[in-house]
């Protein structure tokens, strides 16, 4: 097993980093935070560079570079808190479309003419693992939806939403996926701590879905397993993003500890500070190694059953790492990090957001234990 | 970035496994005559080292004349993993094969290589490493054992402590002060000292678990005469070699450490369902969560090791060695602690023949609580966890050094 980027992937990373240094400076993020600017131009540039197409198969009009390349971009976007539809469109909707063989919409994503997201969570965040939304058959292969999804990333702006549903009111009916266009439902934007990761509640009651928009037939063979793989894909991407943001917090904090002098010496020369930063580095490396391992299981389409477990480990570790990064990043910056004028809080809020979406650390540990047959 | 090795590595693995199946010492052979100290090589261990040397499997990355087969770093990684999985020690004299022999080969004279390094490689001698002293632990450069040149000899006076295997070893790789009048790092030299030299007294230090098999010792040098040609490398150049020696130690130590963690974790998972059933229902979720936390650490240790290795194999330096030492030793400790806590008062019951005395293998031995106590050997020795954190902060993160007292 080789968990280092190869030469091409490193080159992609360096190009992306250089591009984003210009195209997504902290001032752009601040504009989004303060409502004085948008990141529309950034997304357009990313489309021009072919980024949405990068990981999509050639057969679906993509560039066929695979998930590792995609994850490299996810990480770079996370480092700079980029406010773009990339994460939801490319790592949530696109893999669902690929799993379902929905060529046309995938091709639109590759072309940059369609954005999207995946709606999983319901009512309370902690209930996210239990799906109650339904798609009830009404004849002719059509279905009518019943239910509400919440905490949907880009839910108020995405062109297409893949919704995880049950086949009916009965709990035993299997899970499935329907694809709903933006204009079909009411979306209620939530006021969130990180406006670069906009969330919305989607009211789906009474929406009728044509047969060709049922991406995965509820209760069809392996439907739950296939949806699980796509969720693993989205979860791993979220973990990669979270860890990249945490690494940026670590780097900013190390830099600050070198610059800031008290008692006639840099605060970073005090062992109390050093050991906290060493522990944070350890947490970042631990989470990063697990995230890239999990990314390999996604990239190699490992259907041995390890991909979901790897995703649970990756997201749990990302959450652990976020907890330390947020706490120590803010604490060690002292008062300056507490001010709105300093850019640190963009990173802190993005780290928490990506740690909590698609399952926090505790949730993924419970799911990992269940994979191991351990249940309380 | 990929999960599998290429075919040539897998072919190497297959060849090794076939050879191991035919040539390895059996578990019964090893158990019948256990190695009771890292300086102790029972007859089977001496034969096994010689067998590996002759077949080019002792240090695969070295050329055939040194017991290798010019294996690539990746092949060496696979070799260490498979040996650890098979439960066969490469050697019982870990510091001899892992540090002393490579250091002599790197820095020693032809005669030293012939008379000392090669004897370790052929299973004819064992070595111990005389570094730590009562007042020179984490601050190793403060060591005070003196070596004074007197004609064609050095005369060595002083004391070492925590010297693993000194109670059985044939010779010691002794770090001595040869110039007390220069800054402490610049006056250290290395001597090869035969352990049967007059004036050496070894006092074993029984450990907190299984005191009947002491591995650690105090070693007293009282006017010990050492031939001048036993000086390794240049006079007063010992500190650079010390760093080289420890690099040997830390290079791929993680492989067996990670394997030990995996095995401990596998045992914990075997026991877990019954142990959890035995808990009051309202304690189960907490217990499961603690197990899951160490499971994630255990797997992360493997991923981190592979990543550090990939960096090393591509020619980068590996500051990750401090990270691996810190993370594997603390994870091993955490697994034992979680497992012991899961047992409740049962953890307090010890005894039986669960500990076979092997000092050289990272595989879990003894009860969970015994493993927990034993695990401190690795968070304390070879640079404590606190020292590793400082190394990470200064050498990896680039934080400024603590001002040194004048």
């Amino acid at each position: 097993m080789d968990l280092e980027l190869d030469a091409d992937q490193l080159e992609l990373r360096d190009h992306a980093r250089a591009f984003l240094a210009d195209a997504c400076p902290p001032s752009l993020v601040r504009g989004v935070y303060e409502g004085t600017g948008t990141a529309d131009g950034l997304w357009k540039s990313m489309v021009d560079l072919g980024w949405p197409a990068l990981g999509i198969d050639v057969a679906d009009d993509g560039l066929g570079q695979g998930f590792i390349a995609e994850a490299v971009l996810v990480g770079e976007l996370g480092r700079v808190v980029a406010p773009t539809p990339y994460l939801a469109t490319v790592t949530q909707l696109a893999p669902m479309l690929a799993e379902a063989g929905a060529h046309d919409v995938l091709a639109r994503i590759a072309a940059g003419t369609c954005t999207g997201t995946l709606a999983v969570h319901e009512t309370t965040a902690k209930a996210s693992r239990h799906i109650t939304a339904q798609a009830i058959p009404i004849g002719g292969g059509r279905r009518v939806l019943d239910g509400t999804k919440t905490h949907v990333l880009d839910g108020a702006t995405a062109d297409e939403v893949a919704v995880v549903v049950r086949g009916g009111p009965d709990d035993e009916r299997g899970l499935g996926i329907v694809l709903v266009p933006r204009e079909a439902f009411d979306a209620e934007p939530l006021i969130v701590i990180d406006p670069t990761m906009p969330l919305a509640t989607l009211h789906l009651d009474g929406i009728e879905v044509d047969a060709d928009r049922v991406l995965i037939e509820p209760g069809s063979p392996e439907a739950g397993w296939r949806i699980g793989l796509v969720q693993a894909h989205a979860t791993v991407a979220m973990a990669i993003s979270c860890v990249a943001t945490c690494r940026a917090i670590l780097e900013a904090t190390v830099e600050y500890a070198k610059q800031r002098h008290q008692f006639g010496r840099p605060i970073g020369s005090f062992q109390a500070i050093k050991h906290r930063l060493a522990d944070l580095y350890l947490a970042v490396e631990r989470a990063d190694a697990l995230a890239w391992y999990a990314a390999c299981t996604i990239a190699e389409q490992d259907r041995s059953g390890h991909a979901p477990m790897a995703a649970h480990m990756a997201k749990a570790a990302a959450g652990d790492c976020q907890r330390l990064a947020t706490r120590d990043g803010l604490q060690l910056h002292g008062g300056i990090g507490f001010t709105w004028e300093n850019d640190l809080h963009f990173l802190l809020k993005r780290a928490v957001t990506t740690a909590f979406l698609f399952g926090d650390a505790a949730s993924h540990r419970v799911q990992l234990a269940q994979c191991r047959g351990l249940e309380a | 970035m990929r999960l599998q090795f290429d075919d040539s590595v897998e072919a190497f693995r297959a060849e090794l496994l076939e050879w191991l199946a035919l040539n390895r010492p059996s578990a019964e052979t090893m158990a019948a005559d256990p190695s009771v100290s890292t300086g102790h090589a029972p007859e089977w261990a001496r034969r096994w080292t010689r067998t590996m040397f002759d077949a080019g499997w002792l240090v695969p990355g070295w050329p055939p004349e040194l017991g290798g087969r010019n294996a690539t770093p990746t092949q060496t990684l696979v070799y260490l993993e498979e040996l650890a999985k098979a439960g066969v020690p490469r050697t019982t004299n870990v510091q001899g094969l892992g540090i002393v022999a490579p250091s002599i080969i790197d820095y020693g004279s032809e005669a030293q290589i012939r008379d000392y390094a090669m004897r370790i490689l052929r299973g004819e001698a064992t070595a111990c490493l005389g570094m730590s002293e009562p007042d020179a632990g984490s601050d190793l450069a403060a060591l005070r054992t003196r070596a004074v040149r007197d004609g064609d000899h050095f005369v060595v006076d002083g004391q070492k402590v925590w010297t693993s295997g000194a109670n059985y070893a044939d010779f010691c790789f002794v770090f001595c002060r040869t110039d007390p009048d220069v800054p402490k790092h610049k006056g250290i030299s290395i001597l090869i000292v035969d352990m049967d030299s007059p004036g050496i007294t070894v006092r074993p230090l029984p450990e907190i678990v299984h005191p009947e098999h002491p591995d650690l010792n105090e070693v007293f040098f009282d006017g010990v005469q050492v031939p001048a040609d036993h000086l390794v490398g240049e006079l007063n150049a010992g500190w650079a070699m010390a760093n080289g020696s420890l690099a040997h130690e830390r290079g791929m130590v993680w492989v067996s450490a990670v394997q030990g963690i995996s095995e401990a974790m596998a045992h914990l998972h075997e026991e877990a369902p019954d142990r959890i059933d035995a808990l009051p229902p309202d304690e189960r979720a907490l217990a499961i969560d603690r197990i899951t936390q160490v499971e994630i650490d255990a797997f992360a240790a493997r991923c981190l090791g592979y990543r550090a290795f990939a960096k090393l194999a591509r020619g980068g330096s590996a500051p990750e060695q401090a990270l691996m030492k810190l993370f594997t030793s603390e994870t091993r400790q955490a697994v034992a602690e979680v497992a012991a806590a899961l047992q409740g008062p049962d953890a307090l019951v010890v005894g039986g023949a669960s500990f076979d005395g092997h000092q050289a293998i990272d595989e879990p031995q003894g009860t969970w609580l015994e493993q927990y106590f034993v695990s401190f050997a690795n968070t304390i020795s070879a640079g404590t966890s606190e020292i590793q954190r400082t190394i990470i902060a200064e050498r990896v993160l680039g934080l400024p050094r603590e001002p040194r007292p004048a």
Side-chain angles (χ1 to χ4, degrees), chain A residues 332-343:
Chain A
L332 299 184
H333 269 80
I336 194 73
F338 196 67
T339 62
W340 183 265
E341 282 77 8
N342 191 280
D343 297 331

Side-chain angles (χ1 to χ4, degrees), chain A residues 8-364:
Chain A
D8 288 348
Q9 291 157 352
L10 283 171
E11 194 183 326
L12 173 67
R13 185 193 71 182
D14 293 344
H15 278 162
R17 193 166 293 186
F19 164 73
L20 289 170
D22 288 335
C24 187
S27 57
L28 182 144
V29 178
R30 182 166 292 277
V32 170
Y33 257 84
E34 297 178 351
T36 57
T38 74
D40 297 348
L42 171 61
W43 177 239
K44 189 181 175 308
S45 306
M46 287 166 59
V47 169
D48 291 344
L49 288 171
W51 284 11
L54 197 67
I56 293 174
D57 282 352
V58 173
D60 294 313
D61 297 354
L63 297 171
Q65 296 294 301
F67 181 64
I68 299 296
E70 196 175 292
V72 165
L73 296 185
V74 166
E76 293 308 309
L77 293 164
R79 273 182 75 85
V80 295
V81 201
T84 75
Y86 189 88
L87 199 58
T89 301
V90 171
T91 75
Q92 297 181 13
L93 180 61
M96 188 57 83
L97 298 169
E99 180 67 35
H103 170 80
D104 291 350
V105 186
L106 262 182
R108 283 167 53 210
I109 290 178
T113 57
C114 174
T115 61
T117 188
L118 181 62
V120 186
H121 297 215
E122 296 182 8
T123 49
T124 70
K126 282 293 185 182
S128 63
R129 286 190 286 127
H130 188 72
I131 304 298
T132 62
Q134 298 164 31
I136 302 155
I138 51 172
R142 306 183 74 223
R143 289 175 179 265
V144 64
L145 304 188
D146 180 60
T148 301
K149 293 287 179 179
T150 192
H151 309 128
V152 180
L153 182 60
D154 298 341
T157 51
D159 298 320
E160 297 282 353
V161 184
V163 186
V164 184
V165 291
R166 284 192 182 282
D170 189 346
D171 238 16
E172 275 95 74
R173 304 264 185 120
L175 297 177
I177 298 287
V178 296
L179 186 65
V180 183
R182 170 70 194 88
E183 57 273 16
F185 56 84
D186 285 333
E188 179 192 332
L190 300 169
I191 298 169
V192 288
I193 196 160
D194 176 5
T196 70
M197 293 280 280
L199 305 181
T201 298
L202 311 187
H203 300 285
L204 302 167
D205 291 355
I207 295 172
E208 294 187 8
V209 178
D210 288 341
D212 65 350
R213 285 194 158 258
V214 178
L215 293 185
I216 294 182
E217 192 73 29
S220 58
E222 298 204 317
W225 170 246
R226 294 168 69 200
I227 294 167
L229 284 180
V230 173
Q231 278 187 276
H233 186 133
T235 301
V236 172
M238 199 63 86
I240 295 271
S241 177
C242 182
V243 179
T245 307
C246 290
R247 194 181 287 282
I249 295 171
L250 169 68
E251 290 172 5
T253 310
V254 165
E255 206 44 49
Y256 183 74
K258 289 178 189 170
Q259 306 298 332
R260 170 72 175 164
H261 280 63
Q262 284 290 275
F263 305 103
R265 51 193 264 213
I267 61 168
S269 68
F270 289 100
Q271 196 178 65
I273 307 282
K274 276 184 186 164
H275 283 196
R276 279 179 85 151
L277 287 170
D279 282 335
L280 177 55
Y281 170 74
L282 193 66
V284 170
E285 288 292 319
R286 169 184 184 265
D288 199 49
L290 287 169
W292 287 104
Y293 172 80
C296 284
T297 67
I298 302 293
E300 297 180 15
Q301 302 183 330
D302 176 6
R303 290 188 174 238
S304 65
H306 203 61
M309 285 173 67
H312 293 320
M313 287 197 266
K315 194 61 169 49
D320 293 341
C321 159
Q322 171 271 317
R323 198 173 55 83
L324 275 192
T326 305
R327 186 192 72 182
D328 292 351
L330 183 49
Q331 178 69 22
L332 299 184
H333 269 80
I336 194 73
F338 196 67
T339 62
W340 183 265
E341 282 77 8
N342 191 280
D343 297 331
L344 179 71
H345 67 112
F346 305 147
L347 290 166
L348 303 177
K349 291 166 182 172
R350 172 63 77 89
V352 181
T353 300
T354 47
F356 285 10
L357 291 179
F358 278 77
D360 64 9
S363 159
H364 281 285

